Amino acid sequence: MAKTVIKVENLIKTFGNRRVLDGINLEVYEGETFVIMGGSGCGKSTLLRHLIGAIKPDSGEVRIKDKDITQLDTHGMDEIKKRFGMLFQSSALLDSLSVEENVSLPLKEHTKLAPDIIKIMVKMKLGLVGLRGFENHMPSELSGGMKKRVGLARAIAMDPDIVFYDEPSAGLDPVVTAVIDKLMIDLSKKLLITSVVVTHDMNSVFRIADRIAMLHKGKILQIGTKEEIKNSTNPIVQQFIAGDVEGPIQFLTKGDDYLEHLTQ
Amino acid sequence: MSVKERNEGDVMVLDLSGEININTSPDVRKCFDKLIKEQKKKILLNFEEVGYIDSSGLATMVEMMQRMKRFGGTLRLTNLTDKVRGLFEITKLDRLFGIFPSEEEALKDF
């Protein structure tokens, strides 16, 4: 049986009077690519921020390798963070630093490795993401897809066990998205990395996922394999996959509700 | 992580043992520093007891090879587990290093 590396139990988070996460339970297994999908505002980014320890829940647990990270202090969290990498939606590169300097940042910050060793490691990571020879380029000289790849090289700089991806295909065309997807699959299989991906790009979801969690209004509607999600009988899941305007996911308020809303 | 030295003819064999990772690779590098100073020309790294090597360990091997090249030295690797060999292959380092299935075959190649 696959080993559980992330376990979320009864996670609840409220902003103001809005419950953004409403009793989330899920498990992520070692080596798998686990996708959290759902529409805008469904709570998936908030869930991701809990998984990386960026925010604390109102209640519930987030266990990474059996350690409840919601209870960790800053030092404890720093130690756990060394074991995972993060690819941000915007790539989050520092524009004033070269590609090499960006990728080497976590190594310089968290290790005592010699500069010559870090240099070789950075070149190896850039080779893995297909950017050999781009060490001295500045982020402004790169395309969106290349920036994502630099971000990915930085995410794997410390040889993490887990990599979190926040909307990896945001702002990329379909071909570049497919390239990034393939890279994510290759890296996770070759380097045995557990991947957690937050996205609403259905093409990506069905390319990369081993298992999928469908999030809606702060609750998990269903967790399953690609086939299970494709064949789901849940009308909300089906509407989301098909991208239909009509269905249980309502964007336009109708009738009396709308009138009440406008005149309140 | 431990490194034990032994001589097989004119070849220095290093028996590596444990995990080579961000915490332990600086120690391996220190052992290498000493051998570089001594200008050991033939070195065989025995990976039989190495369960895992991360990219800092791989980089340490690459640096060692480069430093030895400067004085005409040769570095060979042997007894890699499938997992460790896989990591050399992913990073395409298997193309750089002479990797041998047994110590006997590696020693013959020097």
Side-chain angles (χ1 to χ4, degrees):
Chain A
M1 188 169 161
K3 199 169 142 190
T4 299
V5 288
I6 302 173
K7 189 171 189 177
V8 176
E9 284 188 300
N10 296 318
L11 199 70
I12 292 175
K13 182 70 179 178
T14 306
F15 291 130
N17 58 5
R18 200 163 62 94
R19 187 166 274 199
V20 183
L21 298 178
D22 193 5
I24 301 288
N25 290 288
L26 61 85
E27 285 184 55
V28 180
Y29 305 132
E30 190 170 46
E32 76 170 338
T33 297
F34 186 88
V35 173
I36 300 165
M37 70 173 193
S40 303
C42 73
K44 57 188 191 302
S45 292
T46 305
L47 176 55
L48 183 71
R49 288 166 69 201
H50 280 88
L51 297 182
I52 63 171
I55 47 176
K56 302 263 185 208
D58 298 340
S59 62
E61 290 185 353
V62 176
R63 305 189 78 82
I64 293 187
K65 296 194 164 184
D66 278 338
K67 210 168 248 179
D68 182 7
I69 63 166
T70 65
Q71 301 300 318
L72 293 177
D73 58 13
T74 311
H75 173 72
M77 202 56 228
D78 282 348
E79 286 305 303
I80 286 276
K81 277 184 179 170
K82 287 180 191 171
R83 300 310 315 147
F84 63 71
M86 172 87 204
L87 178 62
F88 296 93
Q89 196 176 131
S90 60
S91 304
L93 303 181
L94 295 175
D95 287 337
S96 58
L97 301 181
S98 69
V99 165
E100 180 182 338
E101 288 165 333
N102 266 288
V103 178
S104 67
L105 269 179
L107 293 163
K108 286 178 180 165
E109 194 179 332
H110 297 299
T111 76
K112 289 178 178 150
L113 295 169
D116 286 348
I117 296 295
I118 290 178
K119 212 166 190 163
I120 296 169
M121 288 172 74
V122 169
K123 285 184 177 175
M124 281 177 3
K125 305 294 176 180
L126 286 173
L128 282 171
V129 299
L131 287 178
R132 192 174 160 193
F134 281 83
E135 293 82 10
N136 297 321
H137 282 63
M138 300 304 283
S140 59
E141 298 170 323
L142 305 176
S143 67
M146 289 161 102
K147 282 183 192 171
K148 279 267 155 79
R149 283 191 272 164
V150 175
L152 189 47
R154 188 178 59 191
I156 60 170
M158 296 272 293
D159 292 341
D161 305 322
I162 307 168
V163 176
F164 296 98
Y165 300 84
D166 186 15
E167 303 278 6
S169 58
L172 302 179
D173 70 43
V175 176
V176 178
T177 298
V179 170
I180 297 290
D181 286 348
K182 186 175 182 309
L183 200 52
M184 286 162 59
I185 296 166
D186 282 354
L187 290 176
S188 61
K189 301 301 171 214
K190 287 177 179 172
L191 303 177
L192 307 173
I193 291 172
T194 304
S195 305
V196 178
V197 186
V198 162
T199 185
H200 55 235
D201 183 328
M202 293 315 300
N203 291 326
S204 274
V205 169
F206 290 117
R207 259 196 304 259
I208 62 177
D210 290 312
R211 288 190 310 133
I212 301 161
M214 172 76 194
L215 200 62
H216 182 64
K217 291 186 176 171
K219 288 180 188 287
I220 300 239
L221 289 186
Q222 188 177 352
I223 296 179
T225 62
K226 281 186 266 201
E227 289 310 309
E228 286 166 344
I229 294 292
K230 267 183 195 163
N231 299 322
S232 172
T233 54
N234 186 310
I236 296 174
V237 175
Q238 277 309 324
Q239 185 191 355
F240 191 77
I241 293 173
D244 286 338
V245 176
E246 297 299 328
I249 306 173
Q250 289 293 323
F251 294 96
L252 301 171
T253 319
K254 289 177 184 169
D256 292 345
D257 287 350
Y258 190 32
L259 179 64
E260 197 180 322
H261 169 74
L262 289 174
T263 55
Q264 247 179 5
Chain B
M1 175 72 220
S2 74
V3 184
K4 284 181 186 155
E5 296 177 7
R6 63 187 157 90
N7 289 301
E8 292 292 338
D10 60 349
V11 179
M12 164 73 71
V13 181
L14 299 182
D15 294 314
L16 308 170
S17 171
E19 272 199 10
I20 308 177
N21 56 34
I22 275 176
N23 298 318
T24 61
S25 63
D27 297 334
V28 177
R29 191 169 184 255
K30 261 183 208 163
C31 294
F32 287 172
D33 283 346
K34 182 177 84 78
L35 299 172
I36 291 291
K37 266 184 200 154
E38 293 167 7
Q39 299 225 334
K40 293 280 181 201
K41 286 238 172 179
K42 296 177 182 177
I43 296 177
L44 175 61
L45 302 178
N46 178 15
F47 276 78
E48 195 170 2
E49 300 294 326
V50 176
Y52 176 73
I53 182 166
D54 72 0
S55 55
S56 74
L58 293 172
T60 304
M61 303 299 149
V62 171
E63 186 199 38
M64 177 64 171
M65 187 182 206
Q66 181 60 24
R67 290 158 93 191
M68 286 183 72
K69 254 189 172 176
R70 287 185 199 137
F71 57 82
T74 310
L75 184 67
R76 298 270 183 263
L77 278 53
T78 187
N79 290 327
L80 278 66
T81 62
D82 288 347
K83 190 176 174 183
V84 168
R85 193 183 168 94
L87 292 164
F88 275 85
E89 285 170 359
I90 294 159
T91 44
K92 299 186 171 67
L93 294 178
D94 56 323
R95 299 174 189 180
L96 283 185
F97 290 96
I99 299 177
F100 296 84
S102 72
E103 185 172 324
E104 194 185 1
E105 286 168 85
L107 289 171
K108 265 188 210 163
D109 192 71
F110 276 102

